[in-house]
Amino acid sequence: MKENGSRKQGAPSPCAACKLLRRRCAQDCVFAPYFPADEPQKFANVHKVFGASNVNKMLQELPEHQRGDAVSSMVYEANARVRDPVYGCVGAISSLQQQIDVLQTQLALAQAEVVHLRVRQTASFSNHGLSPASPTNSGSPSSKFMGSQTRPIFDMDMMVDHTSLGLGESMWSC
């Protein structure tokens, strides 16, 4: 007689692994701590990708304190493999790496534009006999005299070809 998810004599319901495998769930079941009865899809994917026998062997060979991490890894890999049967989690890693590459390229372009704008600003101030405001020369008579004597270190116009990088218009252009 079943009551509240338990079997006769108050025994707990079988774990998701034993339920899927249609076997009796023993008290020392290696799957029970990691595949609870209320998460059947978790074990179903792991079983589909790795097989119950292989998962059992892997868990038996590991010390108990490492089994939880191993199960998490197997579940992640199995779910990725179910979503993408060819590449699995390698496909997800590759996709994330491509995103990192694109973002690093965008960051480098933004940094180059900042340098370009600073060089233009410094050149503009130098052409007008002004010095850009800085915390060290913020208004004392000697700093105004020193500021009018400064010239830009770099007097060049830097161009970045955004079209060759496939990014189109610059996100900083006005």
Side-chain angles (χ1 to χ4, degrees), residues 16-172:
C18 291
K19 197 179 281 187
L20 183 78
L21 299 172
R22 296 180 181 168
R23 66 181 197 184
R24 187 179 151 275
C25 190
Q27 280 213 317
D28 62 341
C29 176
V30 72
F31 299 120
Y34 313 106
F35 300 104
D38 59 344
E39 297 178 26
Q41 195 60 39
K42 186 175 174 181
F43 181 76
N45 288 344
V46 169
H47 174 59
K48 188 183 301 182
V49 173
F50 296 104
S53 178
N54 290 329
V55 174
N56 187 20
K57 288 177 191 173
M58 284 188 266
L59 292 177
Q60 293 290 343
E61 291 175 3
L62 288 173
E64 283 193 41
H65 70 278
Q66 292 179 343
R67 290 179 184 176
D69 292 335
V71 167
S72 294
S73 295
M74 284 187 270
V75 168
Y76 180 81
E77 172 65 30
N79 290 338
R81 187 65 60 181
V82 166
R83 279 192 308 274
D84 184 355
V86 176
Y87 295 109
C89 66
V90 173
I93 292 168
S94 176
S95 173
L96 291 171
Q97 186 61 50
Q98 288 175 351
Q99 289 178 16
I100 288 170
D101 293 344
V102 167
L103 291 172
Q104 284 177 331
T105 301
Q106 289 176 349
L107 177 62
L109 288 171
Q111 289 172 332
E113 287 188 45
V114 167
V115 169
H116 173 67
L117 291 173
R118 285 184 180 160
V119 167
R120 282 183 46 192
Q121 182 183 21
T122 304
S124 174
F125 281 131
S126 296
N127 291 340
H128 297 302
L130 303 171
S131 69
S134 70
T136 58
N137 59 357
S138 60
S140 68
S142 61
S143 65
K144 286 181 184 175
F145 174 74
M146 298 279 275
S148 65
Q149 302 296 322
T150 60
R151 294 285 179 241
I153 297 172
F154 303 105
D155 194 15
M156 65 177 132
D157 197 17
M158 183 182 346
M159 294 297 292
V160 177
D161 184 12
H162 297 281
T163 57
S164 68
L165 294 171
L167 298 173
E169 284 293 316
S170 165
M171 64 182 172
W172 301 103

